[in-house]
């Protein structure tokens, strides 16, 4: 009886199992690598989008600052017919008035204001 004869059929399932495990391990690594790469692409895209949104926010903030500056704000107020207020007058809780009330100056048609 040869020494390698009876053990040869017993090795075949073991070799097949090892090959199957190695193949499935390689396939799992390939799928994991693909998932990581996909996540990396999504992260890059989201970072670009965040950068664009930050730039847009900065541009909008600059536009808001330019509209709320004292010069453009007073010009827009005059366009709406508003006039400068003068000295403030306060009515206290007991009903007394602190300060001297004065009427606001009238702006005639075509006049830009003071």
């Amino acid at each position: 009886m040869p020494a390698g004869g009876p053990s040869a059929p017993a090795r075949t399932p073991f070799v097949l199992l090892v090959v199957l495990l190695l193949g499935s391990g390689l396939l799992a690594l390939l799928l994991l690598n693909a998932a990581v790469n996909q996540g990396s692409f999504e992260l890059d895209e989201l970072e670009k989008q965040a950068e664009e949104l930050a730039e847009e926010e900065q541009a909008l903030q600059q536009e808001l600052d330019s509209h709320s500056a004292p010069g453009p704000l007073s010009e827009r107020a005059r366009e709406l017919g508003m006039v400068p207020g003068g000295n403030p007058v306060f009515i206290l809780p007991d009903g007394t008035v602190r300060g001297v009330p004065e009427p606001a100056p009238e702006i005639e048609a075509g006049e830009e204001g003071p």
Side-chain angles (χ1 to χ4, degrees), residues 15-113:
V15 170
L16 287 175
L17 178 65
V18 169
V19 168
L20 182 64
L21 287 175
L22 286 174
S24 62
L26 288 174
L27 183 62
L29 281 175
L30 179 66
L31 292 175
L32 182 63
N33 190 17
V36 167
N37 284 338
Q38 179 67 25
S40 176
F41 287 132
E42 288 177 9
L43 180 63
D44 287 343
E45 186 65 32
L46 289 174
E47 285 176 348
K48 287 179 187 176
Q49 187 178 10
E51 186 177 322
E52 290 171 359
L53 289 173
E55 289 174 2
E56 183 180 352
E57 178 188 19
Q58 185 177 10
L60 289 172
Q61 185 64 45
Q62 288 176 348
E63 183 180 349
L64 178 65
D65 291 343
S66 72
H67 286 299
S68 62
L73 192 59
S74 66
E75 182 180 323
R76 181 73 180 129
R78 279 193 299 270
E79 289 174 3
L80 293 173
M82 300 175 90
V83 295
N87 293 331
V89 177
F90 300 97
I91 300 176
L92 301 177
D94 63 357
T96 60
V97 177
R98 178 171 289 178
V100 179
E102 298 174 7
E106 293 186 26
I107 296 179
E108 297 177 17
E111 186 179 325
E112 291 282 326

